[in-house]
Each structure stands twice: as C-alpha cells, then as structure tokens.
Amino acid sequence: RGVVMNDKLAEFQQLVTEHDVYYTMSDDHKIWQKGHDQYQAIMKIFNGLSEELQQEATQIWERDNHG
C-alpha cells in the first residue's frame, strides 16, 4: 500500500508542477476550465492521501510557488 501512496504523491507533485495557479484570472474560458479541471484532479489525489502524506503534499504545494 505504501508504494501506491508514494505513486499518488508523485502524481500529485507532477500535477502541481504543471498547474497554472493564475487560471482564475483568465478571460479565456478554455484556460479557466483547464485550470479548474487540474485543480479538481489535484484535490482528488490530495483527499485520498493519508494524513502523513497530506502533510508532504502541502509542502510540495507551498514549495512550488503556490503558498
């Protein structure tokens, strides 16, 4: 199970790295929708992590210019 969770954390990190945090400011609905969908995917993974891995995920989020 630990390996699966680590894979999820790696997937979380990849999505966070690719995520455009400024999507909410876009006038282009396609850009907004893409950003919204990415954020939903990030949160789905985050909510599926253990509490310990959520702490790591929060550090990843903050480190990658989202904090």
Side-chain angles (χ1 to χ4, degrees), residues 27-62:
D27 293 331
D28 185 332
H29 182 71
K30 290 179 187 175
I31 293 173
W32 182 91
Q33 189 65 57
K34 180 180 177 185
H36 178 74
D37 292 347
Q38 287 175 332
Y39 182 75
Q40 294 295 322
I42 289 167
M43 292 310 298
K44 182 177 180 180
I45 292 171
F46 181 85
N47 290 327
L49 296 173
S50 68
E51 187 174 329
E52 180 181 338
L53 290 178
Q54 282 185 352
Q55 290 175 0
E56 289 184 48
T58 299
Q59 291 174 356
I60 291 168
W61 179 265
E62 291 173 351

Side-chain angles (χ1 to χ4, degrees), residues 7-19 38 42 45 60 64:
D7 286 348
K8 287 294 184 188
L9 192 61
E11 183 180 358
F12 176 88
Q13 184 170 8
Q14 181 68 33
L15 288 173
V16 167
T17 300
E18 296 172 355
H19 182 55
Q38 287 175 332
I42 289 167
I45 292 171
I60 291 168
D64 286 352

